[in-house]
Amino acid sequence: MTPLVYLAAALAEIAGCFSFWAWWRLDRSVLWLVPGMLSLAAFAWLLSLVDADYAGRAYAAYGGVYIATSLLWLWVVEQRAPDRWDLIGAAVCLAGAGIILLGPRTA
């Protein structure tokens, strides 16, 4: 369940941030900020659903998913394909997120 929550949180965060980007950088209506703020609130709520003992660890692991999802957003929404360096970087980040989230812990 955690990977799906992370993915949903990443999409909510990116969509929320993109609404600000669209308003500020793409000259969209200020009304874009309303769904953006709701999306950012959804992001915070979703991230709190992650089954982790510590918030910092959940957030650190989320970072890798966020990076990979951002590149997916780049490709699908902004219609700019990630290059090989983007993909290599995302793979490294996802590997790091997996180590953080799934690594064995001692008591």
Side-chain angles (χ1 to χ4, degrees), residues 14-87:
I14 294 163
C17 291
F18 184 76
S19 74
F20 280 79
W21 179 278
W23 166 65
W24 187 255
R25 304 275 304 264
L26 302 178
D27 241 2
R28 299 295 197 272
S29 165
V30 71
L31 294 177
W32 274 64
L33 299 180
V34 174
M37 288 184 280
L38 292 172
S39 186
L40 289 172
F43 148 70
W45 175 74
L46 285 162
L47 204 52
S48 73
L49 298 177
V50 171
D51 185 25
D53 293 334
Y54 300 97
R57 190 168 289 142
Y59 302 162
Y62 164 74
V65 176
Y66 175 82
I67 290 167
T69 307
S70 295
L71 293 175
L72 183 63
W73 181 277
L74 171 72
W75 190 16
V76 173
V77 175
E78 298 182 85
Q79 299 185 353
R80 177 73 177 180
D83 63 24
R84 68 178 171 186
W85 300 108
D86 293 327
L87 298 175

Coordinates of all heavy atoms in Angstrom, one line a residue, residues 14-87:
I14 N 3.0 17.6 -6.8 CA 3.4 18.1 -8.0 C 2.3 19.0 -8.7 O 2.5 20.1 -9.2 CB 3.9 17.0 -9.0 CG1 5.1 16.4 -8.4 CG2 4.1 17.6 -10.4 CD1 5.5 15.0 -9.0
A15 N 1.1 18.4 -8.6 CA -0.1 19.2 -9.2 C -0.3 20.5 -8.4 O -0.5 21.6 -9.0 CB -1.3 18.4 -9.1
G16 N -0.1 20.5 -7.1 CA -0.3 21.7 -6.3 C 0.8 22.7 -6.6 O 0.5 23.9 -6.8
C17 N 2.0 22.2 -6.7 CA 3.1 23.1 -7.0 C 3.0 23.6 -8.5 O 3.3 24.8 -8.7 CB 4.5 22.4 -6.8 SG 4.8 22.1 -5.1
F18 N 2.5 22.8 -9.4 CA 2.4 23.2 -10.7 C 1.4 24.3 -10.9 O 1.5 25.2 -11.7 CB 2.1 22.0 -11.7 CG 2.0 22.4 -13.1 CD1 3.2 22.6 -13.8 CD2 0.8 22.6 -13.8 CE1 3.1 22.9 -15.2 CE2 0.7 22.9 -15.1 CZ 1.9 23.1 -15.8
S19 N 0.3 24.3 -10.0 CA -0.7 25.3 -10.1 C -0.1 26.7 -9.8 O -0.4 27.7 -10.5 CB -1.9 25.0 -9.2 OG -1.5 25.3 -7.8
F20 N 0.9 26.7 -8.9 CA 1.6 28.0 -8.6 C 2.5 28.4 -9.7 O 2.6 29.5 -10.1 CB 2.4 27.8 -7.3 CG 1.5 28.0 -6.1 CD1 0.7 27.0 -5.6 CD2 1.5 29.2 -5.4 CE1 0.0 27.1 -4.5 CE2 0.7 29.4 -4.2 CZ -0.1 28.3 -3.8
W21 N 3.1 27.4 -10.3 CA 4.0 27.6 -11.5 C 3.2 28.2 -12.6 O 3.6 29.1 -13.3 CB 4.7 26.3 -11.9 CG 5.5 26.3 -13.1 CD1 5.1 26.3 -14.4 CD2 7.0 26.4 -13.1 NE1 6.2 26.4 -15.2 CE2 7.4 26.5 -14.5 CE3 7.9 26.5 -12.1 CZ2 8.7 26.5 -14.8 CZ3 9.3 26.6 -12.5 CH2 9.6 26.6 -13.9
A22 N 2.0 27.6 -12.9 CA 1.2 28.0 -14.0 C 0.7 29.4 -13.8 O 0.7 30.3 -14.7 CB 0.0 27.1 -14.1
W23 N 0.3 29.7 -12.5 CA -0.2 31.1 -12.2 C 1.0 32.1 -12.4 O 0.9 33.1 -13.0 CB -0.7 31.2 -10.8 CG -0.9 32.5 -10.3 CD1 -1.7 33.5 -10.7 CD2 -0.2 33.1 -9.2 NE1 -1.6 34.7 -10.0 CE2 -0.6 34.5 -9.0 CE3 0.8 32.7 -8.3 CZ2 -0.1 35.3 -8.1 CZ3 1.3 33.5 -7.3 CH2 0.8 34.8 -7.2
W24 N 2.1 31.8 -11.8 CA 3.2 32.7 -11.7 C 4.0 32.8 -13.0 O 4.4 33.9 -13.5 CB 4.2 32.4 -10.6 CG 5.3 33.4 -10.3 CD1 6.6 33.2 -10.7 CD2 5.1 34.6 -9.7 NE1 7.3 34.3 -10.3 CE2 6.4 35.2 -9.7 CE3 4.1 35.4 -9.2 CZ2 6.7 36.5 -9.2 CZ3 4.3 36.6 -8.7 CH2 5.6 37.2 -8.7
R25 N 4.3 31.6 -13.6 CA 5.3 31.6 -14.8 C 4.5 31.5 -16.1 O 5.1 31.8 -17.1 CB 6.2 30.4 -14.6 CG 7.0 30.4 -13.3 CD 8.3 31.2 -13.4 NE 9.2 30.8 -14.4 CZ 10.2 30.0 -14.3 NH1 10.5 29.4 -13.2 NH2 11.0 29.8 -15.4
L26 N 3.3 30.9 -16.1 CA 2.6 30.7 -17.4 C 1.5 31.7 -17.5 O 0.6 31.6 -18.4 CB 2.1 29.3 -17.5 CG 3.2 28.2 -17.4 CD1 2.6 26.8 -17.5 CD2 4.3 28.4 -18.4
D27 N 1.4 32.7 -16.6 CA 0.3 33.7 -16.7 C -1.1 33.2 -16.7 O -2.0 33.7 -17.3 CB 0.5 34.5 -18.0 CG 0.8 36.0 -17.7 OD1 0.9 36.3 -16.5 OD2 0.9 36.8 -18.6
R28 N -1.3 32.1 -15.9 CA -2.7 31.6 -15.7 C -3.4 32.4 -14.7 O -2.8 33.2 -13.9 CB -2.7 30.2 -15.3 CG -2.0 29.2 -16.3 CD -2.8 29.1 -17.6 NE -2.4 28.0 -18.4 CZ -1.5 27.9 -19.3 NH1 -0.7 29.0 -19.5 NH2 -1.2 26.9 -20.0
S29 N -4.7 32.3 -14.6 CA -5.6 33.0 -13.6 C -5.1 32.6 -12.2 O -4.7 31.5 -11.9 CB -7.0 32.6 -13.8 OG -7.8 32.9 -12.7
V30 N -5.4 33.6 -11.3 CA -5.1 33.4 -9.9 C -6.0 32.3 -9.3 O -5.6 31.7 -8.3 CB -5.3 34.7 -9.1 CG1 -6.7 35.1 -9.0 CG2 -4.6 34.6 -7.7
L31 N -7.0 32.0 -10.0 CA -7.9 30.9 -9.6 C -7.2 29.5 -9.6 O -7.7 28.6 -9.0 CB -9.2 30.9 -10.4 CG -10.1 32.1 -10.2 CD1 -11.3 32.0 -11.1 CD2 -10.5 32.2 -8.8
W32 N -6.2 29.4 -10.4 CA -5.4 28.2 -10.4 C -4.9 27.8 -9.0 O -4.6 26.7 -8.7 CB -4.2 28.3 -11.4 CG -4.6 27.9 -12.8 CD1 -5.4 28.6 -13.6 CD2 -4.1 26.8 -13.5 NE1 -5.5 28.0 -14.8 CE2 -4.6 26.9 -14.8 CE3 -3.2 25.8 -13.3 CZ2 -4.4 26.0 -15.8 CZ3 -2.9 24.9 -14.3 CH2 -3.5 25.0 -15.5
L33 N -4.7 28.8 -8.1 CA -4.2 28.6 -6.8 C -5.1 27.8 -5.9 O -4.7 27.2 -5.0 CB -3.8 29.9 -6.2 CG -2.7 30.7 -6.9 CD1 -2.4 32.0 -6.2 CD2 -1.5 29.9 -7.1
V34 N -6.4 27.9 -6.1 CA -7.4 27.3 -5.3 C -7.2 25.7 -5.3 O -7.0 25.1 -4.3 CB -8.8 27.7 -5.6 CG1 -9.8 26.9 -4.8 CG2 -9.0 29.2 -5.3
P35 N -7.3 25.1 -6.5 CA -7.1 23.7 -6.5 C -5.7 23.3 -6.1 O -5.4 22.2 -5.6 CB -7.4 23.3 -8.0 CG -7.3 24.5 -8.8 CD -7.7 25.6 -7.8
G36 N -4.8 24.2 -6.4 CA -3.4 24.0 -6.0 C -3.2 23.8 -4.5 O -2.5 22.9 -4.0
M37 N -3.8 24.7 -3.8 CA -3.8 24.6 -2.3 C -4.5 23.4 -1.8 O -4.0 22.7 -0.8 CB -4.3 25.9 -1.7 CG -3.3 27.1 -1.9 SD -3.9 28.6 -1.1 CE -5.1 29.2 -2.2
L38 N -5.6 23.0 -2.4 CA -6.3 21.8 -2.0 C -5.5 20.6 -2.3 O -5.4 19.6 -1.5 CB -7.6 21.7 -2.7 CG -8.7 22.8 -2.3 CD1 -9.9 22.7 -3.2 CD2 -9.1 22.6 -0.9
S39 N -4.8 20.6 -3.4 CA -3.9 19.5 -3.8 C -2.7 19.4 -2.8 O -2.3 18.3 -2.4 CB -3.4 19.7 -5.2 OG -2.7 18.6 -5.6
L40 N -2.2 20.5 -2.4 CA -1.1 20.4 -1.4 C -1.5 20.0 0.0 O -0.8 19.2 0.7 CB -0.4 21.8 -1.3 CG 0.4 22.2 -2.5 CD1 0.9 23.7 -2.4 CD2 1.6 21.3 -2.7
A41 N -2.8 20.3 0.3 CA -3.3 19.8 1.6 C -3.5 18.2 1.5 O -3.2 17.5 2.4 CB -4.6 20.5 1.9
A42 N -4.0 17.8 0.3 CA -4.2 16.4 0.1 C -2.8 15.6 0.2 O -2.7 14.5 0.7 CB -4.8 16.1 -1.3
F43 N -1.8 16.3 -0.4 CA -0.5 15.7 -0.3 C 0.0 15.5 1.1 O 0.4 14.4 1.5 CB 0.5 16.6 -1.1 CG 1.9 16.6 -0.5 CD1 2.7 15.5 -0.6 CD2 2.4 17.7 0.2 CE1 4.0 15.5 -0.1 CE2 3.7 17.7 0.8 CZ 4.5 16.6 0.6
A44 N -0.2 16.5 2.0 CA 0.2 16.3 3.4 C -0.6 15.2 4.1 O 0.0 14.4 4.8 CB 0.0 17.7 4.1
W45 N -1.9 15.2 3.8 CA -2.7 14.1 4.4 C -2.3 12.7 3.9 O -2.1 11.8 4.7 CB -4.2 14.4 4.1 CG -5.1 13.3 4.6 CD1 -5.4 13.0 5.9 CD2 -5.6 12.3 3.8 NE1 -6.2 11.9 5.9 CE2 -6.4 11.4 4.6 CE3 -5.6 12.0 2.4 CZ2 -7.1 10.3 4.2 CZ3 -6.4 10.9 2.0 CH2 -7.1 10.1 2.9
L46 N -2.1 12.6 2.6 CA -1.6 11.3 2.1 C -0.3 10.8 2.7 O -0.2 9.7 3.0 CB -1.5 11.4 0.6 CG -2.9 11.4 -0.2 CD1 -2.7 11.9 -1.6 CD2 -3.5 10.0 -0.2
L47 N 0.6 11.8 2.8 CA 1.9 11.4 3.3 C 1.8 10.9 4.8 O 2.6 10.1 5.2 CB 2.9 12.5 3.2 CG 4.4 12.1 3.1 CD1 4.7 11.1 2.1 CD2 5.2 13.4 2.8
S48 N 0.9 11.4 5.5 CA 0.7 11.0 6.9 C 0.1 9.6 7.0 O 0.2 9.0 8.1 CB -0.2 12.0 7.6 OG -1.6 11.8 7.2
L49 N -0.4 9.0 5.9 CA -0.9 7.7 5.9 C 0.2 6.6 5.8 O -0.1 5.4 6.0 CB -1.9 7.5 4.8 CG -3.1 8.4 4.8 CD1 -4.0 8.1 3.5 CD2 -3.9 8.2 6.1
V50 N 1.4 7.0 5.4 CA 2.5 6.0 5.2 C 2.8 5.3 6.5 O 2.9 5.9 7.6 CB 3.7 6.7 4.7 CG1 4.9 5.8 4.7 CG2 3.5 7.2 3.3
D51 N 2.9 4.0 6.4 CA 3.2 3.1 7.6 C 4.7 3.1 7.9 O 5.4 2.4 7.3 CB 2.7 1.7 7.3 CG 2.8 0.8 8.6 OD1 2.8 1.3 9.7 OD2 2.9 -0.4 8.4
A52 N 5.1 4.1 8.7 CA 6.5 4.2 9.1 C 6.5 4.6 10.6 O 5.6 5.3 11.1 CB 7.2 5.2 8.2
D53 N 7.6 4.2 11.2 CA 7.7 4.5 12.7 C 8.1 6.0 12.9 O 7.7 6.5 13.9 CB 8.8 3.7 13.3 CG 8.4 2.2 13.3 OD1 7.2 1.9 13.4 OD2 9.3 1.3 13.4
Y54 N 8.7 6.6 11.9 CA 9.1 8.0 12.1 C 8.8 8.8 10.8 O 9.0 8.3 9.7 CB 10.7 8.1 12.4 CG 11.0 7.3 13.6 CD1 11.5 6.0 13.6 CD2 10.9 7.9 14.9 CE1 11.8 5.3 14.7 CE2 11.2 7.2 16.0 CZ 11.7 5.9 15.9 OH 12.0 5.3 17.1
A55 N 8.3 10.0 11.1 CA 8.0 10.9 9.9 C 9.2 11.2 9.1 O 9.1 11.2 7.8 CB 7.4 12.2 10.5
G56 N 10.3 11.5 9.7 CA 11.5 11.8 8.9 C 11.9 10.7 7.9 O 12.3 10.9 6.8
R57 N 11.8 9.4 8.4 CA 12.1 8.3 7.5 C 11.1 8.2 6.4 O 11.5 7.9 5.2 CB 12.2 7.0 8.3 CG 12.8 5.9 7.6 CD 13.1 4.7 8.4 NE 14.3 5.0 9.3 CZ 14.4 4.6 10.5 NH1 13.4 3.9 11.1 NH2 15.5 4.9 11.2
A58 N 9.8 8.4 6.7 CA 8.8 8.3 5.7 C 9.0 9.4 4.6 O 8.9 9.2 3.4 CB 7.4 8.5 6.3
Y59 N 9.4 10.6 5.1 CA 9.6 11.7 4.1 C 10.9 11.5 3.3 O 10.9 11.8 2.1 CB 9.8 13.1 4.9 CG 8.6 13.4 5.8 CD1 8.7 14.4 6.8 CD2 7.3 12.9 5.6 CE1 7.7 14.7 7.6 CE2 6.3 13.2 6.4 CZ 6.4 14.1 7.4 OH 5.4 14.5 8.2
A60 N 11.9 10.9 3.9 CA 13.1 10.7 3.2 C 12.9 9.7 2.1 O 13.3 9.9 0.9 CB 14.2 10.2 4.1
A61 N 12.2 8.6 2.4 CA 11.9 7.6 1.4 C 11.0 8.2 0.3 O 11.2 7.9 -0.9 CB 11.3 6.4 2.0
Y62 N 10.1 9.0 0.7 CA 9.2 9.7 -0.3 C 9.9 10.5 -1.3 O 9.5 10.6 -2.5 CB 8.2 10.6 0.5 CG 7.5 11.5 -0.4 CD1 6.5 11.1 -1.3 CD2 7.8 12.9 -0.4 CE1 5.8 12.0 -2.1 CE2 7.2 13.8 -1.3 CZ 6.2 13.3 -2.1 OH 5.5 14.2 -2.9
G63 N 11.0 11.1 -0.9 CA 11.8 11.9 -1.8 C 12.2 11.2 -3.1 O 12.1 11.8 -4.2
G64 N 12.6 10.0 -3.1 CA 12.9 9.2 -4.3 C 11.7 9.0 -5.2 O 11.8 9.2 -6.4
V65 N 10.6 8.7 -4.6 CA 9.3 8.6 -5.4 C 8.9 9.9 -6.0 O 8.5 10.0 -7.2 CB 8.2 8.0 -4.5 CG1 6.9 7.9 -5.3 CG2 8.6 6.7 -3.9
Y66 N 9.1 11.0 -5.2 CA 8.8 12.3 -5.7 C 9.6 12.7 -7.0 O 9.1 13.2 -8.0 CB 9.0 13.4 -4.7 CG 8.8 14.8 -5.1 CD1 7.5 15.3 -5.2 CD2 9.9 15.6 -5.6 CE1 7.3 16.6 -5.7 CE2 9.7 16.8 -6.0 CZ 8.4 17.4 -6.1 OH 8.2 18.6 -6.6
I67 N 10.9 12.4 -6.9 CA 11.8 12.7 -8.0 C 11.3 11.9 -9.3 O 11.2 12.4 -10.4 CB 13.2 12.4 -7.7 CG1 13.7 13.4 -6.6 CG2 14.1 12.3 -8.9 CD1 15.0 13.1 -6.0
A68 N 11.1 10.6 -9.1 CA 10.7 9.8 -10.3 C 9.3 10.3 -10.8 O 9.2 10.3 -12.1 CB 10.6 8.3 -9.9
T69 N 8.4 10.6 -9.9 CA 7.1 11.0 -10.4 C 7.2 12.4 -11.1 O 6.5 12.7 -12.0 CB 6.1 11.1 -9.2 OG1 6.1 9.8 -8.6 CG2 4.7 11.4 -9.6
S70 N 8.1 13.2 -10.6 CA 8.3 14.5 -11.3 C 8.8 14.4 -12.7 O 8.3 15.1 -13.6 CB 9.3 15.4 -10.5 OG 8.9 15.7 -9.2
L71 N 9.6 13.4 -12.9 CA 10.0 13.1 -14.3 C 8.9 12.6 -15.2 O 8.8 12.9 -16.3 CB 11.2 12.2 -14.3 CG 12.5 12.8 -13.7 CD1 13.6 11.8 -13.6 CD2 12.9 14.1 -14.5
L72 N 8.0 11.8 -14.5 CA 6.8 11.3 -15.2 C 5.9 12.5 -15.6 O 5.4 12.6 -16.7 CB 6.1 10.3 -14.4 CG 4.9 9.6 -15.0 CD1 5.2 8.8 -16.2 CD2 4.2 8.8 -13.9
W73 N 5.8 13.4 -14.7 CA 5.0 14.7 -14.9 C 5.6 15.4 -16.1 O 4.9 15.9 -17.0 CB 5.0 15.5 -13.7 CG 4.2 16.8 -13.8 CD1 4.6 18.0 -14.3 CD2 2.9 17.0 -13.4 NE1 3.7 18.9 -14.3 CE2 2.6 18.3 -13.7 CE3 1.9 16.2 -12.8 CZ2 1.3 18.9 -13.4 CZ3 0.7 16.8 -12.5 CH2 0.4 18.1 -12.8
L74 N 7.0 15.6 -16.1 CA 7.7 16.2 -17.2 C 7.3 15.6 -18.5 O 7.0 16.3 -19.5 CB 9.2 16.1 -16.9 CG 10.1 16.6 -18.0 CD1 10.1 18.1 -18.2 CD2 11.5 16.1 -17.8
W75 N 7.3 14.3 -18.5 CA 7.0 13.6 -19.8 C 5.6 13.7 -20.2 O 5.2 14.0 -21.3 CB 7.5 12.1 -19.6 CG 7.5 11.3 -20.8 CD1 7.5 11.7 -22.1 CD2 7.5 9.9 -20.9 NE1 7.5 10.7 -23.0 CE2 7.6 9.5 -22.2 CE3 7.6 8.9 -19.9 CZ2 7.6 8.2 -22.6 CZ3 7.6 7.6 -20.3 CH2 7.7 7.2 -21.7
V76 N 4.6 13.4 -19.3 CA 3.2 13.3 -19.6 C 2.5 14.7 -19.7 O 1.8 15.0 -20.7 CB 2.5 12.4 -18.6 CG1 1.0 12.4 -18.9 CG2 3.0 11.0 -18.7
V77 N 2.7 15.5 -18.7 CA 2.0 16.8 -18.7 C 2.7 17.9 -19.5 O 2.1 18.6 -20.3 CB 1.8 17.3 -17.2 CG1 1.2 18.6 -17.2 CG2 1.0 16.2 -16.5
E78 N 4.0 18.0 -19.3 CA 4.8 19.0 -20.0 C 5.3 18.6 -21.4 O 5.9 19.4 -22.1 CB 5.9 19.5 -19.1 CG 5.4 20.1 -17.8 CD 6.5 20.7 -17.0 OE1 6.9 21.8 -17.2 OE2 6.9 19.9 -16.1
Q79 N 5.1 17.3 -21.7 CA 5.5 16.7 -23.0 C 6.9 16.9 -23.3 O 7.3 17.2 -24.5 CB 4.5 17.2 -24.0 CG 3.1 16.8 -23.7 CD 2.1 17.2 -24.8 OE1 2.4 17.8 -25.8 NE2 0.9 16.7 -24.7
R80 N 7.8 16.7 -22.3 CA 9.2 16.8 -22.6 C 9.8 15.5 -22.0 O 9.7 15.2 -20.8 CB 9.8 18.0 -21.8 CG 11.3 18.1 -21.9 CD 11.7 18.6 -23.3 NE 13.1 18.7 -23.3 CZ 13.8 19.1 -24.3 NH1 13.2 19.4 -25.4 NH2 15.1 19.3 -24.3
A81 N 10.4 14.7 -22.9 CA 10.9 13.4 -22.4 C 12.1 13.5 -21.6 O 13.0 14.3 -21.9 CB 11.2 12.5 -23.7
P82 N 12.2 12.8 -20.5 CA 13.4 12.8 -19.6 C 14.5 12.3 -20.4 O 14.4 11.4 -21.3 CB 13.0 11.9 -18.5 CG 11.6 11.7 -18.5 CD 11.1 11.9 -19.9
D83 N 15.7 12.8 -20.2 CA 16.9 12.2 -20.9 C 17.5 11.1 -20.0 O 17.0 10.8 -18.9 CB 17.9 13.3 -21.2 CG 18.5 14.0 -20.0 OD1 18.5 13.5 -18.9 OD2 19.0 15.2 -20.2
R84 N 18.6 10.5 -20.5 CA 19.2 9.4 -19.8 C 19.7 9.8 -18.4 O 19.6 9.0 -17.5 CB 20.3 8.7 -20.6 CG 21.5 9.6 -20.8 CD 22.6 8.9 -21.5 NE 23.6 9.8 -21.8 CZ 24.6 9.6 -22.6 NH1 24.8 8.4 -23.1 NH2 25.5 10.5 -22.8
W85 N 20.1 11.0 -18.3 CA 20.6 11.4 -17.0 C 19.5 11.6 -16.0 O 19.7 11.3 -14.8 CB 21.5 12.7 -17.1 CG 22.6 12.5 -18.0 CD1 22.8 13.0 -19.3 CD2 23.8 11.6 -17.7 NE1 23.9 12.5 -19.8 CE2 24.6 11.7 -18.9 CE3 24.2 10.9 -16.7 CZ2 25.8 11.0 -19.0 CZ3 25.3 10.2 -16.8 CH2 26.1 10.2 -17.9
D86 N 18.4 12.1 -16.4 CA 17.2 12.1 -15.6 C 16.8 10.7 -15.1 O 16.5 10.5 -13.9 CB 16.0 12.7 -16.4 CG 16.1 14.1 -16.8 OD1 16.8 14.9 -16.0 OD2 15.6 14.5 -17.8
L87 N 16.8 9.8 -16.0 CA 16.4 8.4 -15.7 C 17.4 7.7 -14.8 O 17.0 7.0 -13.8 CB 16.2 7.6 -17.0 CG 15.1 8.1 -17.9 CD1 15.0 7.3 -19.2 CD2 13.8 8.1 -17.2

